């Protein structure tokens, strides 16, 4: 798979990620980390049609504008984010909560390959052979936020892991944005609460 390991001390270690409170000791890397400005877009694994549409539009337009779009390659919003960037010939970076040889979910193996082949990157702090344990995902979320100048939550439940990513971004003094949604939809509770809290 041509996996590289970038230690924290290396010049090629992402500069923004150095600045978070608990940076990884290194990153396993497949592909190429872009030097474009990075913006993360995160959200529900079970988005509504509205969430799918607004996420695709936002991710594709930001990729077209010259941003590298970062997400976690999970089902739902994350997958839409990466696909949208690829569809417009843009750059995207996925952060996994497993080893790079243990693609999770398995159904996204094709997406993994497409990201790398397009000149993007898939990274993880976990070595090859590491399974996708539940406890790995909050840790992965700090890397998503840490790589990015801005984190955008498009659609998420009130207790979504996407809000963990937003909190990590706030702790790192990065911008956090949220897409307002239907006030009666549980999937919009996360971003609506972010907006309400300022």
């Amino acid at each position: 798979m041509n996996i590289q390991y970038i230690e924290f001390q290396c010049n090629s270690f992402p500069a923004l990620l150095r600045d978070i409170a608990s940076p990884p000791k290194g990153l396993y890397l497949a592909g190429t980390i872009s030097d474009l400005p990075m913006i993360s877009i995160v959200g529900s694994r079970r988005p509504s049609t509205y969430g799918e549409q607004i996420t695709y539009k936002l991710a594709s337009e930001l990729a077209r504008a010259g941003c590298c779009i970062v997400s976690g390659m999970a089902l739902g919003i994350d997958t839409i984010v990466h696909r949208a960037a690829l569809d417009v010939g843009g750059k995207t970076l996925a952060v996994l909560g497993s080893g790079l040889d243990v693609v999770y979910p398995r159904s996204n193996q094709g997406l993994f390959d497409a990201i790398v082949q397009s000149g993007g990157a898939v990274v993880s702090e976990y070595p090859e052979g590491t399974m996708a344990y539940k406890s790995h995902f909050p840790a992965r979320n700090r890397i998503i936020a840490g790589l990015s100048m801005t984190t955008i939550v498009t659609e998420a439940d009130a207790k979504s892991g996407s809000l963990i990513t937003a909190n990590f971004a706030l702790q790192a003094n990065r911008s956090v944005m949220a897409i307002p949604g239907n006030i009666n939809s549980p999937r919009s509770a996360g971003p609506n609460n972010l907006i309400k809290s300022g």
Side-chain angles (χ1 to χ4, degrees), residues 5-27 33 38 142-149 171-174:
Y5 184 69
I6 306 171
E7 293 184 348
F8 179 85
Q9 296 86 354
C10 291
N11 291 335
S12 54
F13 191 89
L16 281 178
L17 190 57
R18 289 181 192 277
D19 292 340
I20 66 172
S22 56
K25 295 177 182 177
L27 290 174
I33 296 178
M38 294 195 189
R142 88 188 192 287
I143 295 175
I144 292 173
L147 286 164
S148 309
M149 301 164 46
Q171 289 168 21
N173 294 315
R174 311 289 167 79

Side-chain angles (χ1 to χ4, degrees), residues 77-147:
I77 295 294
D78 290 12
T79 294
I80 293 166
V81 165
H82 297 303
R83 287 281 177 209
L86 292 173
D87 286 352
V88 297
K91 292 289 184 281
T92 187
L93 185 152
V95 184
L96 300 189
S98 61
L100 296 185
D101 60 334
V102 186
V103 175
Y104 180 83
R106 291 184 186 277
S107 58
N108 270 347
Q109 180 66 60
L111 179 58
F112 179 110
D113 296 337
I115 290 171
V116 173
Q117 290 164 10
S118 73
V122 183
V123 302
S124 175
E125 67 179 317
Y126 302 109
E128 293 167 75
T130 305
M131 303 304 290
Y133 296 111
K134 188 175 181 180
S135 61
H136 290 178
F137 291 97
R140 174 206 64 174
N141 292 350
R142 88 188 192 287
I143 295 175
I144 292 173
L147 286 164

